[in-house]
Amino acid sequence: MYLSTLPIDQAMGIFDRISKKTSARNTIVSGAMFERALLEIRETGFALDDQKWFDEVIGALVPIFNREQHTDLNPRSFKTFLTSQDSL
């Protein structure tokens, strides 16, 4: 969800650097699939996770913005999150 708030080239740059191990039946592993998902999230304003992270788990995600309409996620925290996921 956070990556959908970034410029497309920046989001794709992050996607290119993260592990793309398949962890569930619908894990996004290609750049084309990821870009389509980003565009869909931007259009709808929310994301659906239909077994992309874990099999048998489905969820809905919405962005949380501060008063200035920015996400409050600290980029360093996000980088830590991404690098910790490589071990999954």
Side-chain angles (χ1 to χ4, degrees):
M1 190 81 220
Y2 172 71
L3 293 179
S4 70
T5 67
L6 299 176
I8 194 81
D9 58 333
Q10 189 176 357
M12 293 302 294
I14 293 170
F15 179 78
D16 289 341
R17 290 190 304 269
I18 63 173
S19 172
K20 293 168 192 69
K21 298 176 192 169
T22 301
S23 61
R25 63 182 63 136
N26 295 325
T27 301
I28 294 175
V29 294
S30 78
M33 291 171 60
F34 181 70
E35 188 170 357
R36 273 195 305 274
L38 286 178
L39 295 174
E40 183 178 328
I41 293 166
R42 288 177 180 191
E43 183 177 315
T44 62
F46 64 92
L48 296 176
D49 179 345
D50 183 4
Q51 303 178 79
K52 291 178 182 142
W53 197 255
F54 298 105
D55 286 334
E56 309 303 325
V57 176
I58 298 171
L61 301 90
V62 296
I64 299 173
F65 296 102
N66 63 17
R67 288 179 226 186
E68 291 80 31
Q69 295 298 307
H70 296 103
T71 58
D72 272 338
L73 187 58
N74 179 322
R76 283 193 202 125
S77 299
F78 188 65
K79 182 178 180 183
T80 300
F81 169 78
L82 285 177
T83 56
S84 71
Q85 301 310 301
D86 289 338
S87 61
L88 291 177

